[in-house]
């Protein structure tokens, strides 16, 4: 590979004349923006321990009333991007949110797409466009772009969930904004997507009206996802990667437009190598304990821990229990990469 000219090779006076005209020579920066064969990621393999986050989040509950926070969240920020950027990867935002009994996080809508993965506590709910979604541990709840959503809590213990948004991408696109509701609770209507689409392979067939909702299913109960994984594992003992994708049950496409969401099961003692792929990926331990090797780095994941892997990096997952399965929730940038035509699997 030939060396390209450096900026210092150019006369100072010439450089100044370029700057005055808002012009920049490409060749000194060309290798930086397009390195040979593999990108140079800012995203660092990063691990966030739930046992470390929880006391700080509970302290936030004492320090900041919900009215002063709107959403009481500690953001899981990747140091490779700078903590102030509040991003886990190029397109992924992660945050741990706390709602205390009796609290209410008022209705709003925004352009970034969000999902919540419930980590701990019972009795909270999210209402999305009038559909009240109960929040139980491991449930996945969608709040896609533009849909009104609010959170409430009728239980007795704190509820904590993991927020996953495509905020860094939508912000980068200069398309991120929100609209506040009228300060009142949403009117809740009858009907819930997870009851309408209660079984895989069976699509409701309305005769007098059409299934024309862009987001027909907003809550994916953990009990159903777990049962699906267990059934797949039992059905095919040779199946190496026991994984499901959370999809739109009408179209079979990814549940949201930009990020992909998955649940994965490791059998007792199983070790699984995932190939290097172009999108960055996040792993959240729903059940069990595991070891994650991301590139050259290793992390021990306890219950409810979260880890981020940059793109173009192989990941090895190992279940640390010899007797119990381990379960992960995963989020990645695959739908985005596929739509952009840059999706790659490397090995
Ligand atoms: C948001 O609306 C929520 O509704 C949580 O719970 C986290 C982070 C950035 C922007 C909007 C929520 C968020 C957010």
């Amino acid at each position: 590979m030939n060396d390209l000219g450096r900026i210092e090779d150019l006369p100072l006076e010439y450089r100044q004349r370029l700057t005055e005209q808002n012009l920049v020579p490409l060749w000194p920066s060309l290798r930086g923006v397009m390195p040979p064969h593999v990108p140079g990621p800012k995203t660092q393999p990063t691990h966030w321990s739930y046992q470390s986050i929880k006391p700080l989040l509970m302290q936030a509950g004492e320090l900041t009333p919900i009215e002063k926070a709107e959403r009481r969240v500690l953001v899981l920020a990747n140091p490779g991007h700078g903590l102030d950027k509040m991003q886990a990867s190029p397109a992924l935002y992660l945050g741990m949110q706390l709602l205390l009994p009796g609290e209410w996080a008022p209705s709003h809508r925004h352009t970034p797409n969000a999902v919540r993965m419930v980590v701990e506590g019972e009795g909270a709910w999210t209402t999305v466009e009038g559909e009240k979604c109960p929040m139980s541990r491991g449930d996945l709840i969608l709040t896609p772009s533009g849909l009104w959503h609010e959170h409430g809590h009728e239980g007795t213990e704190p509820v904590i969930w993991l927020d996953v948004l495509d905020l860094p991408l939508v912000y980068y696109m200069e398309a991120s904004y929100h609209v506040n509701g009228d300060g009142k609770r949403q009117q809740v209507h009858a009907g819930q997507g997870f009851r309408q689409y209660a079984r895989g392979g069976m699509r409701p067939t309305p005769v007098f009206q059409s299934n024309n909702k862009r987001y027909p299913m907003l809550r994916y109960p953990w009990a159903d996802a777990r049962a699906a994984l267990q059934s797949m594992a039992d059905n095919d003992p040779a199946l190496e990667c026991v994984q499901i994708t959370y999809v739109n049950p009408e179209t079979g496409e990814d549940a949201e437009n930009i990020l992909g969401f998955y649940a994965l099961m490791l059998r007792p003692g199983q070790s699984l190598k995932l190939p290097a792929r172009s999108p960055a990926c996040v792993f959240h331990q729903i059940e069990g304990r595991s070891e994650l090797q991301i590139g050259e780095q290793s992390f021990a994941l306890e219950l409810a821990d979260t880890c981020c892997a940059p793109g173009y990096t192989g990941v090895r997952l190992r279940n640390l229990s010899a007797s119990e399965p381990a379960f992960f929730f995963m989020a990645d940038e695959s739908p985005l990469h596929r739509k952009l035509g840059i999706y790659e699997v490397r090995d």
Side-chain angles (χ1 to χ4, degrees), residues 77-252:
N78 193 302
H81 290 270
L83 299 185
D84 58 316
K85 293 290 192 300
M86 299 199 301
Q87 57 192 111
S89 78
L92 278 152
Y93 158 104
L94 300 173
M96 279 284 177
Q97 182 161 172
L98 168 69
L99 200 63
L100 294 170
E103 286 186 335
W104 180 60
S107 199
H108 69 185
R109 60 190 176 99
H110 40 70
T111 44
N113 296 275
V115 301
R116 349 232 140 243
M117 166 52 51
V118 184
V119 174
E120 186 175 332
E122 293 292 326
W125 44 265
T126 297
T127 298
V128 189
E129 292 277 314
E131 178 176 330
K132 191 167 178 177
C133 302
M135 300 176 99
S136 273
R137 202 181 71 79
D139 290 355
L140 183 75
I141 293 165
L142 311 187
T143 58
S145 181
L147 271 52
W148 292 105
H149 56 282
E150 66 185 84
H151 314 296
H153 190 353
E154 289 153 10
T156 55
E157 299 297 322
V159 167
I160 296 174
W161 64 80
L162 177 70
D163 290 311
V164 185
L165 282 83
D166 48 26
L167 175 65
L169 178 77
V170 178
Y171 180 77
Y172 176 74
M173 300 302 290
E174 300 186 353
S176 178
Y177 72 95
H178 84 282
V179 178
N180 277 334
D182 58 9
K184 300 199 187 91
R185 308 225 168 190
Q186 285 181 47
Q187 283 276 353
V188 172
H189 59 64
Q192 292 171 308
F194 71 92
R195 291 166 66 201
Q196 175 84 338
Y197 298 91
R199 292 284 184 276
M202 282 173 268
R203 196 172 64 189
T205 308
V207 172
F208 298 107
Q209 72 271 36
S210 64
N211 283 339
N212 58 3
K213 278 191 182 163
R214 168 64 184 89
Y215 298 100
M217 191 152 159
L218 298 167
R219 171 176 184 246
Y220 297 75
W222 174 237
D224 293 344
R226 193 185 194 285
L229 290 165
Q230 189 68 62
S231 171
M232 283 168 66
D234 294 346
N235 179 56
D236 182 0
L239 181 65
E240 211 190 344
C241 186
V242 183
Q243 187 182 12
I244 54 164
T245 302
Y246 292 96
V247 297
N248 177 327
E250 282 290 332
T251 65

Side-chain angles (χ1 to χ4, degrees), residues 26 35 69 139 212 228 301 340 345:
L26 173 61
D139 290 355
N212 58 3
L301 263 69
L340 296 178
V345 182

Side-chain angles (χ1 to χ4, degrees), residues 23-37:
L23 295 170
V24 177
L26 173 61
W27 56 96
S29 305
L30 186 56
R31 297 287 182 249
V33 294
M34 239 166 23
H37 305 297

